[in-house]
Amino acid sequence: MKLLSYNIQACIGSRHYSDYLFGVRKQIAHSPAKDRTLRKIGRFISGFDIVCLQELDLGGRRGGFSSQYDALKKISGFQFGASQTTRVIPGISQHGNAIFSRYPIDEVEEYRLPGRMRGRGLLVCTIQGHTIANTHLSLYAKMQVRQLELIREVLHGRTKTILAGDFNCRSSRPWIQDFANMSEMNLITGNSTNTYPSWKPNSDIDHIFASRSISYGKAEVLNVRLSDHLPVQTEFELLQQ
């Protein structure tokens, strides 16, 4: 079973630090280039069984007032999926997370994470008796600690869990290690899986955790430059119920 985690940057497709400054218009307005990037991402993710995406636009101006979740689901051919709106900036954007699956999704849960600004969330799907959780944490360390505490509470007692997402912090941070230990999960990613920035990756901030009862493979960063992050994948055994 192939699982992918990818922050797609709302299909903005930054290629250099200067794009953050000189490409500000892409943060608030739509463009044909975004449509081309979206189609490329849709075709890319079609090769996986479960996909966790962060930083989609679910209907804001910068996404052309249409949902990137709907478009990606159609392009990729996934039959099952779920999305979560995490932050709405009126007239500009609708930030969100999404999970796509080749298998039926039996239950969907959405959680708001604490933070200085509202806009971070946790999306949880039950698939074949397994918990697949997708998140995007704050940029601030203190908020990350609080957010991880809530995530640990939500996932407590679930013995077959995969947690993936953009954690905005490196695996060496003590609160990431504490979360793994207290949650009885293994951190699959590490300092050998740098994902950011995509043009010169030097930081491992996109992570995958797995319950210790799950049989999984090595995490691998893929050289697919359609965002300011690189995607990370792993394989695990999904036991039929």
Side-chain angles (χ1 to χ4, degrees):
M1 186 67 54
K2 294 176 64 177
L3 179 140
L4 180 83
S5 181
Y6 197 9
N7 179 325
I8 67 168
Q9 200 198 7
C11 298
I12 292 170
S14 295
R15 297 175 180 272
H16 196 274
Y17 284 119
S18 61
D19 288 347
Y20 293 131
L21 177 62
F22 298 109
V24 171
R25 188 176 182 279
K26 292 182 179 179
Q27 296 284 351
I28 60 175
H30 187 57
S31 69
K34 288 183 182 179
D35 285 336
R36 291 192 292 270
T37 299
L38 184 144
R39 289 192 292 270
K40 290 177 182 178
I41 292 174
R43 291 192 292 268
F44 165 61
I45 67 174
S46 68
F48 296 86
D49 300 299
I50 296 176
V51 176
C52 296
L53 299 182
Q54 307 87 42
E55 209 167 317
L56 293 80
D57 195 292
L58 300 176
R61 178 186 177 191
R62 68 174 182 172
F65 297 105
S66 62
S67 171
Q68 292 179 344
Y69 166 81
D70 292 337
L72 288 169
K73 190 169 184 285
K74 181 178 180 180
I75 295 167
S76 62
F78 279 100
Q79 186 176 356
F80 306 102
S83 64
Q84 171 193 35
T85 300
T86 56
R87 178 185 298 157
V88 176
I89 301 178
I92 297 178
S93 61
Q94 293 186 30
H95 299 249
N97 301 317
I99 295 176
F100 295 112
S101 173
R102 298 292 175 202
Y103 292 84
I105 296 175
D106 300 314
E107 186 177 358
V108 178
E109 305 166 54
E110 296 183 31
Y111 299 90
R112 302 289 182 186
L113 299 181
R116 294 180 182 179
M117 294 177 57
R118 292 186 177 182
R120 303 296 182 176
L122 173 71
L123 178 63
V124 181
C125 290
T126 303
I127 302 172
Q128 297 294 106
H130 290 63
T131 298
I132 306 298
N134 180 25
T135 194
H136 188 179
L137 299 191
S138 168
L139 295 170
Y140 305 102
K142 289 184 178 179
M143 292 302 102
Q144 291 171 3
V145 172
R146 291 180 56 194
Q147 290 166 355
L148 287 169
E149 287 176 352
L150 177 59
I151 292 173
R152 181 166 55 84
E153 291 176 7
V154 169
L155 301 180
H156 178 71
R158 310 190 195 206
T159 57
K160 292 182 289 187
T161 300
I162 297 282
L163 169 65
D166 177 0
F167 288 75
N168 274 315
C169 64
R170 299 180 180 183
S171 60
S172 59
R173 300 306 186 198
W175 52 94
I176 286 286
Q177 298 295 329
D178 289 345
F179 171 80
N181 293 332
M182 296 177 70
S183 301
E184 297 185 345
M185 301 177 74
N186 291 330
L187 177 59
I188 300 176
T189 46
N191 57 17
S192 64
T193 54
N194 292 338
T195 55
Y196 182 85
S198 59
W199 50 89
K200 192 177 180 181
N202 54 31
S203 297
D204 63 307
I205 62 174
D206 297 277
H207 298 302
I208 301 174
F209 295 80
S211 295
R212 294 169 184 172
S213 60
I214 292 178
S215 177
Y216 57 84
K218 183 180 179 180
E220 179 184 4
V221 176
L222 303 178
N223 189 25
V224 176
R225 301 183 184 183
L226 298 172
S227 166
D228 59 348
H229 289 242
L230 294 175
V232 59
Q233 70 165 10
T234 189
E235 295 187 10
F236 70 98
E237 185 177 358
L238 184 64
L239 299 176
Q240 300 284 339
Q241 299 298 303

